[in-house]
Amino acid sequence: MSKYSIEEFVRKTAQEDKGEGFFELETPRILEVNLDGTVWAKSGSMVTYHGQIKFEREGILEHGLGKMFKKALTGEGASLMKADGSGKLYLADQGKKITILNLQGDSIFVNGNDLLAFEKSINWDIKLMRRITGMMSGGLFNIHCQGTGMIAITSHYEPLTIEVKPGRPVLTDPNATVAWSGGLSPDFQTDVSLKTFFGRGSGESIQMRFEGSGFVVVQPYEEVYLSNDGK
């Protein structure tokens, strides 16, 4: 078989059943969902599927009135779709690296744009960061996931996890922050020296400050989103 033949290409890139469960990493950037029931996923993340699967955009009141109002404030970044049925579903998000987390009664906060999919058994809620909304382009929000089941999060390139210990706070760039443990509640601060160095409009002058015990996940990339009015 020729090194660059079509047959060799198909062999190297063919889908492979790994028997890992509900979520599998088909590639580092494509999530395979072995669906037999329901999964929630980021709207627009489906790349291909086979089987009997029905897709529905999240209903306005499907998760209650409170979440409806929060979603109206955060915009399409928190938009979800529901996939029901049986078959294999493949999800991806702009070529970002995917990490699968199997929660066992755990609690984690995920940046609203970095949550790719989660099992129906996961309890979730949108948390608005009011203190920073308006300070950055498009504001900032996150999704609190807790319970038992799998979630899939995304990051640009390889994520880095920093341990947070009492008396040793960790500060991050909000645009590079992917997730943090459920026991942490970040505060925000403005660094005047960074404002002077980078210019008053620089996002790096605003920092997230984590104190206590837990961890925070960052990525080597700054995601900046336009606000809803396009400004």
Side-chain angles (χ1 to χ4, degrees), residues 146-168:
Q146 59 182 338
T148 299
M150 288 187 169
I151 70 172
I153 65 176
T154 61
S155 62
H156 288 276
Y157 312 106
E158 300 292 335
L160 173 68
T161 299
I162 306 294
E163 185 178 1
V164 181
K165 296 181 179 179
R168 198 183 75 178

Side-chain angles (χ1 to χ4, degrees), residues 41-44 57-58 71 74-81 112 115 141:
K42 185 176 182 179
S43 290
R57 180 174 286 274
E58 180 183 18
K71 288 176 64 61
T74 57
E76 287 298 308
S79 183
L80 298 171
M81 66 177 182
L115 182 61
F141 69 97

Side-chain angles (χ1 to χ4, degrees), residues 118-172:
F118 55 91
E119 286 194 73
K120 186 179 179 180
S121 59
I122 295 294
N123 295 316
W124 65 279
D125 194 12
I126 298 171
K127 301 293 183 180
L128 302 178
M129 296 185 179
R130 293 183 178 86
R131 293 186 61 186
I132 199 172
T133 300
M135 297 171 68
M136 300 177 62
S137 178
L140 198 67
F141 69 97
N142 58 77
I143 299 177
H144 183 209
C145 298
Q146 59 182 338
T148 299
M150 288 187 169
I151 70 172
I153 65 176
T154 61
S155 62
H156 288 276
Y157 312 106
E158 300 292 335
L160 173 68
T161 299
I162 306 294
E163 185 178 1
V164 181
K165 296 181 179 179
R168 198 183 75 178
V170 172
L171 290 89
T172 66

Side-chain angles (χ1 to χ4, degrees), residues 65-209:
L65 192 62
K67 287 181 182 176
M68 182 194 76
F69 283 120
K70 291 177 183 178
K71 288 176 64 61
L73 289 172
T74 57
E76 287 298 308
S79 183
L80 298 171
M81 66 177 182
K82 179 170 63 174
D84 280 308
S86 62
K88 289 188 180 294
L89 170 63
Y90 297 90
L91 305 173
D93 184 15
Q94 301 182 45
K96 295 163 68 177
K97 182 178 176 61
I98 299 169
T99 300
I100 297 173
L101 300 175
N102 190 1
L103 304 189
Q104 298 293 321
D106 305 297
S107 173
I108 188 171
F109 289 90
V110 183
N111 180 290
N113 195 58
D114 297 325
L115 182 61
L116 179 62
F118 55 91
E119 286 194 73
K120 186 179 179 180
S121 59
I122 295 294
N123 295 316
W124 65 279
D125 194 12
I126 298 171
K127 301 293 183 180
L128 302 178
M129 296 185 179
R130 293 183 178 86
R131 293 186 61 186
I132 199 172
T133 300
M135 297 171 68
M136 300 177 62
S137 178
L140 198 67
F141 69 97
N142 58 77
I143 299 177
H144 183 209
C145 298
Q146 59 182 338
T148 299
M150 288 187 169
I151 70 172
I153 65 176
T154 61
S155 62
H156 288 276
Y157 312 106
E158 300 292 335
L160 173 68
T161 299
I162 306 294
E163 185 178 1
V164 181
K165 296 181 179 179
R168 198 183 75 178
V170 172
L171 290 89
T172 66
D173 181 339
N175 291 322
T177 305
V178 174
W180 57 91
S181 52
L184 298 179
S185 182
D187 201 354
F188 297 92
Q189 67 180 43
T190 301
D191 191 312
V192 177
S193 62
L194 280 175
K195 270 191 174 183
T196 303
F197 184 75
F198 290 105
R200 296 190 62 85
S202 171
E204 294 191 27
S205 64
I206 303 170
Q207 302 165 348
M208 296 178 75
R209 182 184 179 93

